[in-house]
Amino acid sequence: MIKTIKKHMKLATAIMSAVVLLLGAAVIYAEITQPYAVYADGTKVTDPYVITAGGEELFLVEDQATAEDVITEVMDQYTPEGSQVNSITIDKKIEVLPKKLEKTDEPETVLTRSEAVKTILASNKTDDPMFAVTISAEAGAVKEMQPGVTYITDDSDYEGNETVEREGTSGSQVVTEEKTSVNGNTLTTEEVDKTVIQDGIDKLISKGTKSRPADTVFQDYSGSLMGSGDGQNVVNYAKNFLGNPYRWGGTSLTHGCDCSGFIYALYNHFGVGVPRMGIYKVGKGVCLAEAKAGDVVYYPGHYAMYMGDGKIIHAYNSRVGIVISNVHAPGTILSIRRMID
């Protein structure tokens, strides 16, 4: 009887060994024959997920969580930072599905999360994007408010003259804008709200109202200044050349200049591009009663520079050269032009 039991035990052991061998072989066979996808480094993935857009497969990722992370990161990339999103629409239905693999000679490729995000962003910049994400979002920003201008009248100044009595200061405000973008590219921007944080102060300008006397032949007070500066500085510079020679057609303050060449050389020394000829056509017209140092006085065939107190400095003629004279000495005053102020 003992012999019979031992015989049965040996048989059972043999059967178990055979079963183990068969199961091992089955597992090996399954591993050899089961289809799989691979990462770029060769790592196998047997149960990947696919992201689709409008029913079209885009690419494979390892699992459902990775796929959902990819879509979330793409949405974040397209959402303006610090904004409040009003709506997000996608032109194609995005789905995350398990991928049924088939045995092939070349297994399909699985993308990492960062690779998948980069693939979508790159494709969506082309003329044939994977899908289009339209986002409407609001964002506020602090912006400067330019000061306004307030005008007052001044009956002690001449018509056409303006004087800045007070410089303005800027204010600030929060401007909320609604922007609509497609795949990160802004299509429209609309201002939806403003909230003043700090009020500015208007610039204050006085406008002259006094009528000018008829003390020049040409009552033309139009035109504009050619630059900024102090005319007295130009006059002070001109005094350095008193007694120097007059020379027809010349522009040298030391070796000789004519009347217009004198004015031309003085102002160009200070970086003001007064022309060599036709000086009466530039600058802003003023009357004699409001003339001040640096203004150019125009006579028939002659130019001079007003010094103040009824005096002028000019290249008078070949006999006396550069001298100081009374403002009326050269003759009738046709016009007076102001170049800088």
Side-chain angles (χ1 to χ4, degrees):
M1 179 142 185
I2 293 173
K3 290 181 179 180
T4 301
I5 292 172
K6 289 182 176 179
K7 182 177 180 182
H8 288 167
M9 289 179 64
K10 289 181 179 178
L11 178 59
T13 300
I15 292 172
M16 289 297 295
S17 297
V19 169
V20 170
L21 290 172
L22 288 172
L23 288 173
V27 170
I28 294 171
Y29 178 77
E31 289 181 352
I32 295 174
T33 59
Q34 183 180 5
Y36 59 87
V38 294
Y39 281 109
D41 64 2
T43 303
K44 295 180 181 179
V45 178
T46 56
D47 298 303
Y49 272 68
V50 62
I51 297 178
T52 67
E56 180 181 351
E57 292 189 3
L58 304 182
F59 45 74
L60 303 183
V61 292
E62 183 172 2
D63 50 34
Q64 184 174 358
T66 301
E68 291 172 351
D69 287 344
V70 168
I71 300 303
T72 299
E73 188 169 337
V74 169
M75 296 300 109
D76 289 344
Q77 290 284 335
Y78 289 151
T79 303
E81 186 176 355
S83 64
Q84 175 183 318
V85 176
N86 294 333
S87 65
I88 298 178
T89 57
I90 306 176
D91 68 337
K92 298 177 182 178
K93 184 178 181 181
I94 306 297
E95 293 184 288
V96 176
L97 304 170
K99 173 65 174 178
K100 183 178 180 180
L101 297 174
E102 296 181 0
K103 184 67 177 179
T104 59
D105 292 336
E106 292 292 334
E108 295 187 60
T109 300
V110 177
L111 301 184
T112 65
R113 187 178 77 168
S114 61
E115 289 172 341
V117 171
K118 289 179 181 178
T119 298
I120 293 175
L121 296 179
S123 172
N124 285 356
K125 290 180 179 178
T126 67
D127 294 334
D128 185 23
M130 290 181 174
F131 51 86
V133 180
T134 302
I135 295 179
S136 174
E138 291 182 7
V142 177
K143 294 188 177 182
E144 183 181 42
M145 294 169 55
Q146 293 299 320
V149 180
T150 297
Y151 291 97
I152 59 175
T153 58
D154 181 3
D155 58 10
S156 66
D157 198 4
Y158 291 104
E159 290 177 335
N161 288 346
E162 294 185 355
T163 303
V164 177
E165 305 292 345
R166 179 189 67 211
E167 292 291 348
T169 58
S170 300
S172 59
Q173 60 185 341
V174 175
V175 179
T176 302
E177 295 178 332
E178 182 178 33
K179 293 185 178 181
T180 301
S181 62
V182 176
N183 290 349
N185 298 314
T186 301
L187 291 185
T188 61
T189 300
E190 181 181 357
E191 188 178 288
V192 294
D193 187 52
K194 284 182 180 179
T195 302
V196 175
I197 301 174
Q198 181 177 350
D199 288 320
I201 299 176
D202 283 356
K203 186 176 186 178
L204 185 63
I205 298 178
S206 64
K207 302 181 73 170
T209 60
K210 187 168 71 171
S211 297
R212 287 181 172 85
D215 53 12
T216 58
V217 172
F218 300 140
Q219 302 296 302
D220 177 13
Y221 305 113
S222 62
S224 58
L225 299 174
M226 299 190 69
S228 60
D230 187 349
Q232 186 62 57
N233 291 336
V234 184
V235 169
N236 292 341
Y237 179 67
K239 291 178 182 178
N240 294 318
F241 308 101
L242 282 169
N244 284 354
Y246 175 99
R247 183 169 66 86
W248 174 259
T251 58
S252 172
L253 296 171
T254 55
H255 297 100
C257 58
D258 59 18
C259 62
S260 60
F262 180 64
I263 303 298
Y264 165 84
L266 290 174
Y267 268 110
N268 278 268
H269 172 79
F270 285 89
V272 182
V274 170
R276 176 67 178 86
M277 304 296 290
I279 300 175
Y280 68 92
K281 298 178 181 179
V282 299
K284 184 181 186 307
V286 297
C287 62
L288 178 59
E290 62 183 315
K292 59 184 181 181
D295 291 349
V296 178
V297 186
Y298 177 49
Y299 306 88
H302 190 69
Y303 290 101
M305 178 169 289
Y306 192 68
M307 302 178 68
D309 297 326
K311 301 294 183 181
I312 57 172
I313 184 170
H314 55 145
Y316 204 168
N317 53 42
S318 58
R319 181 173 57 85
V320 297
I322 298 173
V323 294
I324 293 175
S325 305
N326 181 279
V327 69
H328 296 290
T332 302
I333 299 174
L334 299 180
S335 68
I336 302 173
R337 308 299 294 182
R338 181 163 295 159
M339 305 301 165
I340 60 175
D341 203 0

